[in-house]
Amino acid sequence: YSDVYRTAREIIEGGPYDLIEAVAERIAAATLATDAAIVDVRVTVRKPDVPMRGSILNAVGAGVVRARG
């Protein structure tokens, strides 16, 4: 788990990204590439305090599920 955390952190801090979906995709791809024993991955990225006029939401998020092969 520590390796996955470090990889995700490097990706997030290495931005900038226009879409949080892109961040989720990069984390998923990197996680699958890290270890052949990982056969599938689910990544959810949440960004708090996004300024959206007229919105009552306090965050936005995106998720992806990816499998090897």
Side-chain angles (χ1 to χ4, degrees), residues 21-32:
E21 291 87 343
V23 177
E25 288 284 356
R26 296 239 2 234
I27 293 170
T31 301
L32 287 172

Side-chain angles (χ1 to χ4, degrees), residues 2 7 17 24-25 31 37 54 58 62 66:
S2 296
T7 299
Y17 300 95
E25 288 284 356
T31 301
N58 64 0
R66 296 294 177 259

Side-chain angles (χ1 to χ4, degrees):
Y1 294 111
S2 296
D3 291 340
V4 172
Y5 170 78
R6 274 191 295 277
T7 299
R9 183 174 179 161
E10 289 172 6
I11 290 168
I12 292 166
E13 292 178 347
Y17 300 95
D18 290 328
L19 300 171
I20 59 175
E21 291 87 343
V23 177
E25 288 284 356
R26 296 239 2 234
I27 293 170
T31 301
L32 287 172
T34 300
D35 188 340
I38 301 172
V39 295
D40 58 32
V41 62
R42 176 186 308 257
V43 177
T44 302
V45 177
R46 183 176 173 270
K47 184 175 181 178
D49 303 320
V50 176
M52 292 184 289
R53 187 185 340 235
S55 176
I56 60 170
L57 301 176
N58 64 0
V60 296
V64 297
V65 177
R66 296 294 177 259
R68 192 173 297 284

